[in-house]
Coordinates of all heavy atoms in Angstrom, one line a residue:
L288 N -36.5 -19.3 12.9 CA -37.8 -20.0 13.1 C -37.9 -21.1 12.0 O -38.3 -22.2 12.3 CB -38.9 -19.0 13.1 CG -40.3 -19.5 13.5 CD1 -41.1 -18.4 14.1 CD2 -41.1 -20.2 12.3
L289 N -37.6 -20.7 10.8 CA -37.7 -21.6 9.6 C -36.7 -22.8 9.8 O -37.0 -24.0 9.6 CB -37.4 -20.9 8.3 CG -37.3 -21.7 7.1 CD1 -38.7 -22.4 6.8 CD2 -36.9 -20.9 5.9
M290 N -35.4 -22.5 10.3 CA -34.5 -23.5 10.5 C -35.0 -24.6 11.5 O -34.9 -25.8 11.2 CB -33.2 -23.0 11.1 CG -32.4 -22.1 10.3 SD -31.0 -21.4 11.2 CE -30.6 -19.9 10.3
A291 N -35.5 -24.1 12.6 CA -36.0 -25.0 13.6 C -37.2 -25.8 13.2 O -37.3 -27.0 13.4 CB -36.3 -24.3 14.9
S292 N -38.2 -25.2 12.5 CA -39.4 -25.9 12.1 C -39.1 -26.9 11.0 O -39.6 -28.1 11.1 CB -40.4 -24.9 11.6 OG -40.0 -24.2 10.5
L293 N -38.2 -26.6 10.1 CA -37.7 -27.6 9.1 C -37.0 -28.7 9.8 O -37.1 -29.9 9.4 CB -36.8 -26.9 8.1 CG -37.5 -26.0 7.1 CD1 -36.5 -25.3 6.2 CD2 -38.5 -26.7 6.2
G294 N -36.2 -28.4 10.8 CA -35.5 -29.5 11.6 C -36.4 -30.4 12.2 O -36.2 -31.7 12.2
V295 N -37.5 -29.9 12.9 CA -38.5 -30.8 13.5 C -39.1 -31.7 12.5 O -39.3 -32.9 12.7 CB -39.5 -30.0 14.3 CG1 -40.6 -30.9 14.8 CG2 -38.8 -29.3 15.4
E296 N -39.5 -31.1 11.3 CA -40.1 -31.9 10.2 C -39.2 -33.0 9.8 O -39.6 -34.2 9.5 CB -40.4 -31.0 9.0 CG -41.6 -30.1 9.3 CD -41.9 -29.2 8.1 OE1 -41.1 -29.2 7.1 OE2 -43.0 -28.6 8.0
A297 N -37.9 -32.7 9.7 CA -36.9 -33.7 9.3 C -36.8 -34.9 10.3 O -36.7 -36.1 9.9 CB -35.5 -33.1 9.1
V298 N -36.8 -34.6 11.6 CA -36.8 -35.6 12.6 C -38.0 -36.5 12.5 O -38.0 -37.7 12.7 CB -36.6 -35.0 14.0 CG1 -36.7 -36.1 15.1 CG2 -35.2 -34.3 14.1
K299 N -39.2 -35.9 12.3 CA -40.4 -36.6 12.2 C -40.4 -37.6 11.0 O -40.7 -38.8 11.1 CB -41.6 -35.6 11.9 CG -43.0 -36.3 11.7 CD -43.5 -36.9 13.0 CE -44.9 -37.3 12.8 NZ -45.5 -38.0 14.1
K300 N -39.8 -37.1 9.9 CA -39.7 -38.0 8.7 C -38.7 -39.1 9.0 O -38.9 -40.3 8.5 CB -39.3 -37.2 7.5 CG -39.4 -37.9 6.2 CD -39.4 -37.0 5.0 CE -39.5 -37.7 3.7 NZ -40.7 -38.5 3.6
W301 N -37.6 -38.8 9.6 CA -36.7 -39.8 10.0 C -37.3 -40.9 10.9 O -37.1 -42.1 10.7 CB -35.5 -39.2 10.8 CG -34.6 -40.1 11.5 CD1 -34.6 -40.3 12.8 CD2 -33.5 -40.9 10.9 NE1 -33.6 -41.2 13.2 CE2 -32.9 -41.6 12.0 CE3 -33.0 -41.1 9.7 CZ2 -31.9 -42.5 11.8 CZ3 -32.0 -42.0 9.5 CH2 -31.4 -42.6 10.6
A302 N -38.1 -40.5 11.8 CA -38.8 -41.4 12.7 C -39.8 -42.3 11.9 O -40.0 -43.5 12.3 CB -39.5 -40.7 13.8
E303 N -40.4 -41.8 10.9 CA -41.4 -42.5 10.1 C -40.8 -43.5 9.1 O -41.3 -44.6 9.0 CB -42.3 -41.5 9.4 CG -43.2 -40.7 10.3 CD -44.0 -39.6 9.6 OE1 -43.7 -39.3 8.5 OE2 -45.0 -39.1 10.2
D304 N -39.8 -43.0 8.4 CA -39.3 -43.9 7.3 C -37.8 -44.0 7.1 O -37.3 -44.6 6.2 CB -39.9 -43.4 5.9 CG -39.5 -42.0 5.6 OD1 -38.5 -41.5 6.1 OD2 -40.3 -41.4 4.8
G305 N -37.1 -43.4 8.1 CA -35.6 -43.5 8.1 C -34.9 -42.6 7.0 O -33.7 -42.8 6.8
S306 N -35.6 -41.7 6.4 CA -35.0 -40.9 5.4 C -34.4 -39.6 6.0 O -34.8 -39.1 7.0 CB -36.0 -40.4 4.3 OG -37.1 -39.7 4.9
K307 N -33.3 -39.2 5.4 CA -32.5 -38.0 5.9 C -32.8 -36.8 4.9 O -33.1 -37.0 3.7 CB -31.0 -38.3 5.9 CG -30.7 -39.4 7.0 CD -29.2 -39.6 7.0 CE -28.8 -40.6 8.1 NZ -27.3 -40.8 8.2
P308 N -32.7 -35.6 5.4 CA -32.9 -34.4 4.6 C -31.9 -34.3 3.5 O -30.7 -34.7 3.7 CB -32.9 -33.3 5.6 CG -32.1 -33.8 6.8 CD -32.4 -35.2 6.8
E309 N -32.3 -33.7 2.4 CA -31.4 -33.4 1.3 C -30.8 -32.0 1.4 O -31.3 -31.2 2.2 CB -32.2 -33.5 0.0 CG -32.7 -34.9 -0.3 CD -33.5 -35.0 -1.7 OE1 -33.6 -33.9 -2.3 OE2 -33.9 -36.1 -2.0
T310 N -29.7 -31.8 0.7 CA -29.0 -30.5 0.8 C -29.5 -29.6 -0.4 O -30.1 -30.1 -1.3 CB -27.5 -30.7 0.7 OG1 -27.2 -31.3 -0.6 CG2 -27.0 -31.5 1.8
T311 N -29.2 -28.3 -0.3 CA -29.5 -27.4 -1.4 C -28.6 -27.7 -2.5 O -27.4 -27.9 -2.3 CB -29.3 -25.9 -0.9 OG1 -30.3 -25.7 0.1 CG2 -29.5 -25.0 -2.0
P312 N -29.0 -27.8 -3.8 CA -28.1 -28.1 -4.9 C -26.9 -27.2 -4.9 O -27.0 -26.0 -4.8 CB -29.0 -27.8 -6.1 CG -30.4 -28.1 -5.6 CD -30.4 -27.6 -4.2
G313 N -25.7 -27.8 -5.0 CA -24.5 -27.1 -5.1 C -23.9 -26.8 -3.7 O -22.8 -26.2 -3.7
K314 N -24.6 -27.1 -2.6 CA -24.1 -26.8 -1.3 C -24.1 -28.1 -0.4 O -24.8 -29.0 -0.8 CB -24.9 -25.7 -0.6 CG -24.9 -24.4 -1.4 CD -25.7 -23.3 -0.7 CE -25.6 -22.0 -1.5 NZ -26.3 -20.9 -0.8
D315 N -23.3 -28.1 0.6 CA -23.3 -29.3 1.5 C -24.2 -29.1 2.7 O -24.0 -29.7 3.7 CB -21.8 -29.6 1.9 CG -21.2 -28.5 2.7 OD1 -21.8 -27.4 2.9 OD2 -20.0 -28.6 3.2
F316 N -25.2 -28.2 2.6 CA -26.1 -27.9 3.7 C -27.4 -27.5 3.0 O -27.5 -27.2 1.9 CB -25.6 -26.9 4.7 CG -25.4 -25.5 4.1 CD1 -26.4 -24.5 4.3 CD2 -24.3 -25.2 3.4 CE1 -26.2 -23.3 3.7 CE2 -24.1 -23.9 2.9 CZ -25.1 -23.0 3.0
F317 N -28.5 -27.4 3.9 CA -29.8 -26.9 3.4 C -29.8 -25.4 3.7 O -29.8 -25.0 4.9 CB -31.0 -27.6 4.1 CG -32.3 -27.2 3.5 CD1 -32.9 -27.9 2.5 CD2 -33.0 -26.0 4.0 CE1 -34.1 -27.5 1.9 CE2 -34.2 -25.6 3.5 CZ -34.7 -26.3 2.4
D318 N -29.8 -24.6 2.7 CA -29.7 -23.1 2.8 C -31.1 -22.5 3.1 O -32.0 -22.6 2.3 CB -29.2 -22.5 1.5 CG -28.9 -21.0 1.6 OD1 -29.2 -20.4 2.6 OD2 -28.3 -20.5 0.7
T319 N -31.3 -21.9 4.3 CA -32.5 -21.3 4.7 C -32.7 -19.9 4.3 O -33.6 -19.2 4.7 CB -32.8 -21.5 6.2 OG1 -31.6 -21.0 6.9 CG2 -33.0 -23.0 6.5
G320 N -31.7 -19.3 3.6 CA -31.8 -18.0 3.0 C -31.2 -16.9 3.8 O -31.0 -17.0 5.1
V321 N -30.9 -15.8 3.2 CA -30.3 -14.6 3.8 C -30.7 -13.4 3.0 O -30.8 -13.4 1.8 CB -28.8 -14.7 4.0 CG1 -28.1 -14.8 2.6 CG2 -28.2 -13.6 4.8
G322 N -30.9 -12.3 3.7 CA -31.3 -11.0 3.0 C -30.6 -9.8 3.7 O -30.5 -9.8 4.9
L323 N -30.0 -9.0 2.9 CA -29.3 -7.8 3.4 C -30.3 -6.7 3.7 O -31.1 -6.3 2.8 CB -28.3 -7.3 2.4 CG -27.5 -6.0 2.9 CD1 -26.5 -6.4 4.0 CD2 -26.7 -5.4 1.7
I324 N -30.4 -6.2 4.9 CA -31.3 -5.2 5.4 C -30.7 -3.8 5.5 O -29.7 -3.7 6.3 CB -32.0 -5.5 6.7 CG1 -32.5 -7.0 6.7 CG2 -33.1 -4.6 7.0 CD1 -33.5 -7.3 5.7
T325 N -31.1 -2.8 4.8 CA -30.6 -1.5 4.9 C -31.6 -0.5 4.2 O -32.3 -0.9 3.3 CB -29.2 -1.3 4.3 OG1 -28.7 0.0 4.5 CG2 -29.2 -1.6 2.8
D326 N -31.6 0.7 4.6 CA -32.3 1.8 3.9 C -31.4 2.7 3.1 O -31.8 3.7 2.6 CB -33.1 2.6 4.9 CG -34.5 2.0 5.2 OD1 -34.9 1.2 4.4 OD2 -35.1 2.4 6.2
K327 N -30.1 2.2 3.0 CA -29.1 2.9 2.2 C -28.5 2.0 1.2 O -27.3 1.5 1.4 CB -28.0 3.5 3.1 CG -28.5 4.5 4.1 CD -27.4 5.0 5.0 CE -28.0 6.1 6.0 NZ -26.9 6.5 6.9
P328 N -29.2 1.6 0.2 CA -28.8 0.6 -0.8 C -27.5 1.0 -1.5 O -27.3 2.2 -1.7 CB -29.9 0.4 -1.7 CG -30.8 1.6 -1.6 CD -30.6 2.1 -0.2
V329 N -26.7 0.0 -1.9 CA -25.5 0.2 -2.7 C -25.6 -0.5 -4.0 O -26.1 -1.6 -4.1 CB -24.3 -0.3 -1.9 CG1 -23.0 -0.4 -2.8 CG2 -24.0 0.5 -0.6
D330 N -25.2 0.2 -5.1 CA -25.3 -0.4 -6.4 C -24.5 -1.7 -6.5 O -23.4 -1.8 -6.0 CB -24.7 0.6 -7.4 CG -25.6 1.8 -7.7 OD1 -26.8 1.7 -7.3 OD2 -25.1 2.8 -8.3
G331 N -25.2 -2.7 -7.0 CA -24.5 -4.0 -7.2 C -24.6 -4.9 -6.0 O -24.2 -6.1 -6.1
V332 N -25.2 -4.5 -4.9 CA -25.4 -5.3 -3.8 C -26.9 -5.5 -3.5 O -27.6 -4.5 -3.1 CB -24.7 -4.7 -2.5 CG1 -24.8 -5.7 -1.3 CG2 -23.2 -4.4 -2.8
D333 N -27.4 -6.7 -3.6 CA -28.8 -6.9 -3.4 C -29.2 -6.6 -1.9 O -28.5 -7.1 -1.0 CB -29.2 -8.4 -3.7 CG -29.1 -8.7 -5.2 OD1 -29.2 -7.8 -6.0 OD2 -28.9 -9.9 -5.5
S334 N -30.3 -5.9 -1.7 CA -30.7 -5.6 -0.4 C -32.2 -5.4 -0.4 O -32.9 -5.2 -1.4 CB -30.0 -4.4 0.2 OG -30.4 -3.2 -0.6
I335 N -32.8 -5.4 0.8 CA -34.2 -5.1 1.0 C -34.3 -4.0 2.1 O -33.4 -3.8 2.9 CB -35.1 -6.3 1.4 CG1 -34.6 -7.0 2.7 CG2 -35.1 -7.4 0.2 CD1 -35.4 -8.2 3.1

Side-chain angles (χ1 to χ4, degrees):
L288 191 151
L289 177 63
M290 293 178 202
S292 60
L293 289 174
V295 172
E296 287 180 350
V298 172
K299 178 70 170 178
K300 192 164 180 57
W301 165 258
E303 290 175 344
D304 60 22
S306 61
K307 295 183 179 181
E309 297 181 357
T310 60
T311 297
K314 300 183 179 183
D315 61 358
F316 64 98
F317 186 93
D318 188 351
T319 52
V321 63
L323 181 71
I324 311 298
T325 185
D326 275 340
K327 298 177 180 178
V329 166
D330 288 343
V332 183
D333 291 337
S334 64
I335 60 178

